[in-house]
């Protein structure tokens, strides 16, 4: 065990770690370098249906494992968080593999199958709610139930750019599911804090995980240019940008941040 590392001796469960260009992979890499043991959750069938496609999970896991500090452990599972009992199952499997969980990072999300209000259906709303909101809340509940009150309890949720006044008129089901997480953060965090668990929610803004590359984008070149024009720095977000904030929040340095909805978006407006 490399005891001087900030997360040595702690275990983090990170969802949505399925692609090397993803936020989940960037977060897992950073936490591995900080000494944490990791349980990674992924679901390749979702990525296969997207324009940017899926990576080899063996390669993704191997890449994270190579960054582990001495004494740290890693396990992973493929799980469809759209299933009603999947969130609790995930926490149980992670605990069985690695023991007590100190950190939960809910990075997973359903993408695609959405549209503007005129195309909205009950099925679209339910599909995004089940993955993005319901599973996040239920995983958080199960995580809290297994937490024994030791120092370092952390939960991170991921929301969308609406919190900064962003407009997502062509992604109503997705934006609704993410807005629910941002809106309920203060209420959930209050109860968790009394149990020694600190919850914060991060808005990463538009991060190029493949959907902003012209060759694999799920939107027109005109929209890509419009999005880029709204970054003062003249570049899209990169996965490492929100990963730095998340890593700080789950470390002891972030112990006074509670119930916040934080934007790490490079000033995107």
């Amino acid at each position: 065990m490399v005891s001087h590392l900030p997360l040595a001796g702690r275990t983090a469960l990170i969802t949505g770690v399925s692609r090397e260009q993803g936020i989940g992979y960037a977060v897992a890499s950073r936490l591995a370098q900080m000494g944490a043991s990791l349980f990674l959750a992924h679901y390749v069938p979702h990525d296969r249906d997207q324009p940017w496609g899926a990576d080899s999970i063996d390669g993704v896991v191997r890449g994270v494992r190579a960054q582990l500090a001495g004494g740290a452990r890693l396990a992973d599972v493929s799980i469809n968080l759209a299933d009603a009992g999947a969130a609790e199952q995930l926490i149980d499997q992670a605990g069985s593999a690695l023991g007590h969980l100190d950190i939960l990072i809910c990075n997973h999300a359903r993408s695609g199958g959405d549209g503007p209000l005129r195309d909205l259906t009950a099925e679209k709303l339910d599909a995004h709610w089940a993955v993005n909101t319901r599973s996040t809340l239920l995983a958080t509940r199960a995580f809290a139930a297994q937490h024994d009150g030791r120092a370092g309890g952390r939960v991170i949720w991921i929301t969308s750019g609406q919190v900064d006044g962003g407009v997502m008129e062509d992604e109503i089901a997705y934006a609704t599911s993410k807005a629910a997480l941002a809106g309920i953060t203060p209420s959930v965090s209050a109860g968790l804090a009394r149990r020694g668990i600190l919850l914060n929610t991060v808005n990463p803004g538009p991060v190029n995980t493949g959907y902003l590359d012209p060759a694999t984008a799920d939107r027109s070149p005109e929209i890509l240019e419009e999005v880029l024009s709204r970054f003062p720095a003249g570049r899209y977000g990169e996965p490492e940008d929100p990963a730095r904030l998340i890593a700080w929040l789950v470390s002891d340095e972030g112990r006074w941040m509670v119930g916040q909805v934080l934007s790490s978006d490079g000033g995107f407006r």
Side-chain angles (χ1 to χ4, degrees), residues 88-143:
E88 293 89 344
Q89 178 186 348
L90 174 62
I91 300 300
D92 288 344
Q93 289 182 327
S96 295
L98 298 179
H100 180 271
L101 304 176
D102 304 280
I103 300 163
L104 171 64
I105 299 173
C106 294
N107 169 69
H108 63 280
R110 176 189 172 94
S111 297
D114 204 347
L117 183 64
R118 65 177 176 272
D119 297 333
L120 197 62
T121 65
E123 291 75 18
K124 289 179 179 180
L125 282 168
D126 290 347
H128 283 81
W129 165 266
V131 176
N132 300 346
T133 317
R134 184 183 71 188
S135 71
T136 296
L137 287 166
L138 292 178
T140 300
R141 182 188 70 174
F143 170 84

Side-chain angles (χ1 to χ4, degrees), residues 4-266:
H4 68 276
L5 293 175
L7 295 182
R10 299 182 192 177
T11 299
L13 165 55
I14 309 171
T15 64
V17 185
S18 59
R19 297 174 58 253
E20 292 186 24
Q21 199 176 346
I23 293 174
Y25 184 87
V27 172
S29 297
R30 191 162 287 270
L31 268 56
Q33 295 163 18
M34 294 169 70
S37 292
L38 302 175
F39 191 89
L40 312 180
H42 45 77
Y43 189 60
V44 168
H46 173 269
D47 292 316
R48 287 192 184 125
D49 290 338
Q50 307 303 321
W52 46 86
D55 286 355
S56 162
I57 282 299
D58 289 344
V60 169
V61 173
R62 187 166 54 248
V64 176
R65 189 183 301 276
Q67 302 177 73
L68 290 175
R73 298 179 294 157
L74 183 147
D76 71 288
V77 68
S78 173
I79 189 165
N80 183 2
L81 289 170
D83 296 339
E88 293 89 344
Q89 178 186 348
L90 174 62
I91 300 300
D92 288 344
Q93 289 182 327
S96 295
L98 298 179
H100 180 271
L101 304 176
D102 304 280
I103 300 163
L104 171 64
I105 299 173
C106 294
N107 169 69
H108 63 280
R110 176 189 172 94
S111 297
D114 204 347
L117 183 64
R118 65 177 176 272
D119 297 333
L120 197 62
T121 65
E123 291 75 18
K124 289 179 179 180
L125 282 168
D126 290 347
H128 283 81
W129 165 266
V131 176
N132 300 346
T133 317
R134 184 183 71 188
S135 71
T136 296
L137 287 166
L138 292 178
T140 300
R141 182 188 70 174
F143 170 84
Q146 64 85 54
H147 185 67
D148 61 10
R150 69 184 70 178
R154 300 285 192 276
V155 176
I156 302 293
W157 292 348
I158 306 294
T159 190
S160 71
Q162 286 183 115
V163 296
D164 281 339
V167 176
M168 303 177 71
E169 62 180 298
D170 293 325
E171 300 175 83
I172 296 300
Y174 174 86
T176 298
S177 65
K178 289 295 190 175
L181 293 178
I184 203 63
T185 293
S187 296
V188 175
S189 69
L192 291 178
R194 285 191 284 272
R195 302 186 59 180
I197 301 169
L198 309 183
L199 163 66
N200 291 286
T201 295
V202 172
N203 159 38
V207 172
N208 189 11
T209 58
Y211 82 101
L212 295 172
D213 286 330
T216 54
D218 60 354
R219 56 208 71 200
S220 71
E222 291 76 19
I223 291 178
L224 296 181
E225 286 298 322
E226 172 65 17
V227 171
L228 184 60
S229 72
R230 296 179 179 272
F231 281 100
R235 69 166 177 88
Y236 299 123
E238 298 173 353
E240 291 76 13
D241 293 323
R244 285 192 296 273
L245 173 60
I246 291 169
W248 180 80
L249 287 168
V250 302
S251 75
D252 288 343
E253 295 297 312
R255 64 185 176 272
W256 205 233
M257 300 297 291
V258 184
Q260 301 300 303
V261 180
L262 304 164
S263 290
S264 174
D265 61 5

